[in-house]
Amino acid sequence: MINQQQLWDDDAAQQYDTPGQGMFSPDVLGPTVEVLSELASGGPAVEFAIGTGRVAIPLLEAGVPVSGIELSHAMIARLREKVGEDQIPVVQGDMSEASIGGNFTLAFLVFNTIANLLTQDQQVRCFENASGHLAPGGRFVIELWVPQLRSLPPGHGGTVEVSEPGYLLVDTYDVLRQHVVSHHVRFGSELSDGREALIGRTPHRYIWPSELDLMARIAGFELESRWADWDRSEFTAESRSHVSVYRLIERP
């Protein structure tokens, strides 16, 4: 099994940010921050797997106090190059266990990152940990892709997900354990250090939306909303991802 701390090392942290492009583009970040700001309802937010602050920093700039949990020392160090501990407090640790306090109105876990937890037990504990951070009625928001097993040909263990100049993404599946390993191959002009190709691998445990909802119920949440994207477009059988909003059930 790939060690997550080793996976998100100094090289990964330095290469993670792509200002103005990809997941850092205004078209992606703008709707994300807008929705999260609204769901925070004027209270503080905590981001699980805060990374280098891709979402947390613009959310803070939008007026929402933000704290975070992050496993990778290198990602936290990159975050600290941008903002101090007094602006965005962060606890280093596993998002299924580490705590940075309570009484938040919003917890969020975006860009498929709950799938970095490679067992169902860890994923359930992540929901339980989110519950422990929230005030009564608080929300937990998860952004996650929908497994595309329909594209897996019979007898084949992998699919080509992206093929473009300088980049190839191949996903290989272990359907028994619900595991996917994404193989990222970069080549040609994408590399500037003389190498012919760079191969990176990221492991995931994929989760069906219905399974995610059951995890939420175990931890005391109920599904409030589900959209296909941050623009709140309708989630359908053809959607390749979803943004799910869970609300912590207020007990009498």
Side-chain angles (χ1 to χ4, degrees):
M1 186 175 294
I2 300 174
N3 183 289
Q4 294 286 344
Q5 187 71 257
Q6 294 175 345
L7 181 65
W8 301 107
D9 60 8
D10 289 336
D11 286 343
Q14 291 302 318
Q15 296 171 14
Y16 189 79
D17 292 3
T18 55
Q21 301 179 16
M23 62 180 174
F24 283 82
S25 72
D27 290 345
V28 173
L29 278 177
T32 303
V33 171
E34 180 181 350
V35 170
L36 292 174
S37 297
E38 179 182 321
L39 293 175
S41 302
V46 57
E47 181 173 8
F48 285 21
I50 195 171
T52 66
R54 179 183 73 94
V55 176
I57 292 174
L59 188 59
L60 178 68
E61 292 170 347
V64 179
V66 185
S67 300
I69 296 172
E70 173 57 47
L71 178 66
S72 167
H73 295 285
M75 299 292 267
I76 296 173
R78 177 74 178 115
L79 172 65
R80 287 289 165 252
E81 294 174 11
K82 308 174 192 179
V83 295
E85 177 74 16
D86 58 326
Q87 295 172 284
I88 300 181
V90 175
V91 165
Q92 190 276 327
D94 186 327
M95 61 186 168
S96 68
E97 300 175 351
S99 175
I100 195 166
N103 217 38
F104 293 92
T105 59
L106 176 70
F108 62 98
L109 179 50
V110 297
F111 210 67
N112 307 319
T113 312
I114 191 172
N116 288 0
L117 300 172
L118 300 181
T119 70
Q120 188 183 71
D121 285 345
Q122 286 179 304
Q123 291 166 348
V124 170
R125 288 201 302 272
C126 183
F127 270 94
E128 293 172 336
N129 197 25
S131 174
H133 280 81
L134 291 171
R139 295 180 173 99
F140 186 30
V141 180
I142 291 182
E143 178 188 18
L144 187 61
W145 94 98
V146 177
Q148 296 297 307
L149 294 191
R150 288 183 297 177
S151 65
L152 192 63
H156 293 265
T159 59
V160 176
E161 294 297 315
V162 179
S163 178
E164 57 189 34
Y167 178 65
L168 183 68
L169 170 61
V170 177
D171 282 346
T172 55
Y173 289 82
D174 176 349
V175 295
L176 183 63
R177 296 190 297 162
Q178 291 183 210
H179 279 187
V180 179
V181 177
S182 294
H183 307 261
H184 308 268
V185 183
R186 302 184 186 278
F187 50 89
S189 61
E190 288 287 304
L191 303 178
S192 58
D193 56 5
R195 286 178 288 185
E196 294 184 359
L198 174 65
I199 301 176
R201 297 180 177 86
T202 53
H204 317 277
R205 181 187 184 271
Y206 60 82
I207 315 168
W208 299 103
S210 57
E211 182 186 10
L212 198 72
D213 293 349
L214 183 56
M215 293 179 183
R217 288 177 59 189
I218 290 170
F221 291 96
E222 61 184 358
L223 180 67
E224 182 177 76
S225 304
R226 172 166 287 141
W227 309 299
D229 207 340
W230 294 100
D231 60 5
R232 305 183 203 239
S233 53
E234 181 184 4
F235 180 76
T236 71
E238 301 305 316
S239 298
R240 296 180 66 92
S241 63
H242 59 95
V243 175
S244 295
V245 182
Y246 297 98
R247 194 169 192 123
L248 191 62
I249 300 171
E250 297 185 61
R251 303 297 183 185

